Amino acid sequence: MRPLELDGLHLMGAVLTILLLGQLSSFEFQTISSPHYAGDSFTVTIVARDSRGALYPYNGEALLSTTRDNYWSYIYPRVVVFRNGVCDTTVIVTLASNLAIRCTKENVTGQSNSFDVFTGPPFRLLVMLPGESLAPGSPAGRLPRQPSSQVAGDNFVFTVYLTDIWFNPVGFRSDSVYFSCTDTFAQLPPGGTISNGSGRFTAAVRQAGTHRLVALPSVQQPFRPDTSSEFTVVPGQLAGLLEILPGEYHLPGDVATEPWQTPGKGGRPVAQYVREPFQIAVYPVDRCWNLVTAPNLRVRLHSDFSFSADPPETTLVDAAVFSVEFLSPGPNQNTWATATPGSYESYRSHLEVRARGHRLDITKPDTVDAGETANVTVTVRDANGDPIVATVCRFTVVKGNGTFVSPAMLTDTLGTVTNQFVCTRGRFAEHDSFLISSGRADTFVGIY
């Protein structure tokens, strides 16, 4: 090789060495003091260096992170700007821990000294359900996981934390906490104490569906309350039957236990009438009165009073509906349901069965002289043909000039009422018509 060619290779190597030495090689942090508090701002200074350790005049952006980053970044801002190789910026770190800060630009990186970040002042409560994990320093306080579902009426344990604004638990103190739930029948502790940053409590939610728990501080503390994540409560196993009568409504999760308290339902049964059909629905329920699916049970109705049900027996899956007639009037008549196979039985439901008019027996004169008064006697009978005591009978003149002394009267102990029809004196004959009604009975009659 000629000397000129050798000198050219030496020259190219020297240029390459200069270029390499002039590239961005690392980031150097000035020492960060310790400690700091989560959420409080402090200043960091970062210097861009080349491979010789000299200042590299980098102008551009770089990414900040901490040595504890996982689901979230615990430092804000995440992007910083260098000017002439130096970045002076104010940051906040949200995670209470011992950590360091990293600065990265593509494959170039640098790391600060380790320093402590302490928990900030108490700010809020945080409810953690089974299946959830605490995520201190994050915007949400919880890892993005769905809470475990619960069975209606079963106990489960949940945790309440007292945290700073970034969900870091605050220890070294004790505070009172109180609870509520979107299920008004939930069995919750009346209150409790958070010690050294957290407390564990037991609850049972009775109403199937989706619900949330709420943790509330005592009135002396300005902490922010917390509403839990939404969680699912599923019905338990088939435990019995529930009758719903007209006027009643389903009340899942009800904590009432005695039959006279009508557990599992609200409202009051509407009075029914002799030999007039109405519907009774029967549902399979768990021990908390939530609806469940029955494994093809055969269900029928019973009563201590004379009644009929159509159908007499039917298959119960989600519900069974019967058309029912009671055959005689009376207060406090009952009905209940049983299902086989098994020994499933509802408690007794009570209702009043009344008599009302189905037929009117009317006695009256056919002809009355003008100006005279005629007696009109009515016996009101129910669907069985029996007279009804103390029921209203109404009298309405439809045509003519006559009038009744009383537009409405109550029947006596024999089911009878006598009203007086007054014939207005006129100059010519007329045929007066009037309507007599009671209950479901309406009869048109006339007097000449």
Side-chain angles (χ1 to χ4, degrees), residues 195-356:
S195 299
N196 200 27
S198 67
R200 290 167 60 84
F201 307 95
T202 301
V205 178
R206 295 177 55 86
Q207 189 178 85
T210 55
H211 294 285
R212 295 179 187 267
L213 293 175
V214 179
L216 303 162
S218 63
V219 293
Q220 292 84 7
Q221 297 295 348
F223 309 144
R224 180 179 293 181
D226 185 58
T227 300
S228 75
S229 305
E230 191 174 71
F231 63 100
T232 301
V233 178
V234 298
Q237 296 180 344
L238 173 65
L241 306 175
L242 177 66
E243 277 189 326
I244 301 291
L245 278 62
E248 297 179 321
Y249 56 89
H250 183 215
L251 203 59
D254 189 7
V255 294
T257 55
E258 299 300 327
W260 59 268
Q261 297 173 315
T262 64
K265 58 186 180 182
R268 296 179 62 86
V270 176
Q272 301 300 318
Y273 296 94
V274 173
R275 292 190 179 274
E276 294 185 21
F278 64 97
Q279 289 188 336
I280 293 179
V282 179
Y283 298 96
V285 292
D286 66 8
R287 60 188 171 127
C288 296
W289 309 104
N290 297 292
L291 302 184
V292 298
T293 299
N296 295 320
L297 298 176
R298 297 294 292 176
V299 61
R300 62 171 51 243
L301 294 183
H302 308 268
S303 178
D304 292 323
F305 299 81
S306 57
F307 86 116
S308 66
D310 182 26
E313 182 177 288
T314 188
T315 299
L316 175 65
V317 179
D318 296 320
V321 179
F322 297 88
S323 179
V324 177
E325 294 183 18
F326 277 82
L327 307 183
S328 59
N332 209 33
Q333 301 201 36
N334 61 23
T335 176
W336 70 93
T338 60
T340 55
S343 56
Y344 301 108
E345 182 173 331
S346 72
Y347 61 84
R348 283 161 169 75
S349 299
H350 294 81
L351 76 162
E352 179 183 3
V353 180
R354 298 173 180 172
R356 66 176 172 184

Side-chain angles (χ1 to χ4, degrees), residues 79-223:
V79 177
V80 293
V81 178
F82 282 78
R83 291 183 176 84
N84 297 320
V86 178
C87 173
D88 280 312
T89 187
T90 299
V91 301
I92 65 170
V93 175
T94 60
L95 178 65
S97 179
N98 179 268
L99 47 77
I101 300 174
R102 290 193 181 108
C103 182
T104 306
K105 173 63 178 178
E106 297 176 352
N107 61 340
V108 178
T109 187
Q111 181 171 310
S112 75
N113 59 291
S114 294
F115 58 95
D116 290 320
V117 179
F118 292 164
T119 302
F123 179 78
R124 71 202 318 161
L125 299 174
L126 178 65
V127 179
M128 300 296 297
L129 299 172
E132 291 188 307
S133 297
L134 180 67
S138 70
R142 307 174 177 91
L143 292 181
R145 297 174 182 169
Q146 182 66 29
S148 305
S149 61
Q150 303 298 325
V151 177
D154 284 0
N155 289 335
F156 64 92
V157 176
F158 65 98
T159 305
V160 179
Y161 294 90
L162 176 63
T163 73
D164 63 15
I165 194 171
W166 287 100
F167 300 105
N168 297 290
V170 177
F172 308 108
R173 58 182 295 152
S174 295
D175 294 280
S176 298
V177 64
Y178 303 92
F179 305 102
S180 66
C181 183
T182 52
D183 173 19
T184 56
F185 300 116
Q187 295 173 321
L188 305 174
T193 301
I194 296 176
S195 299
N196 200 27
S198 67
R200 290 167 60 84
F201 307 95
T202 301
V205 178
R206 295 177 55 86
Q207 189 178 85
T210 55
H211 294 285
R212 295 179 187 267
L213 293 175
V214 179
L216 303 162
S218 63
V219 293
Q220 292 84 7
Q221 297 295 348
F223 309 144

Side-chain angles (χ1 to χ4, degrees), residues 357 360 363 373-381 388-396 403-422 434-439 441:
L360 303 177
T363 302
T373 299
N375 289 332
V376 177
T377 301
V378 181
T379 300
V380 182
R381 300 187 181 276
I388 306 175
V389 176
T391 191
V392 176
C393 188
R394 304 181 186 280
F395 301 82
T396 305
T403 59
F404 280 98
V405 172
S406 299
M409 300 180 70
L410 288 177
T411 57
D412 59 19
T413 56
L414 299 177
T416 298
V417 61
T418 298
N419 202 350
Q420 291 183 318
F421 181 72
V422 180
F434 46 89
L435 172 66
I436 302 176
S437 59
S438 181

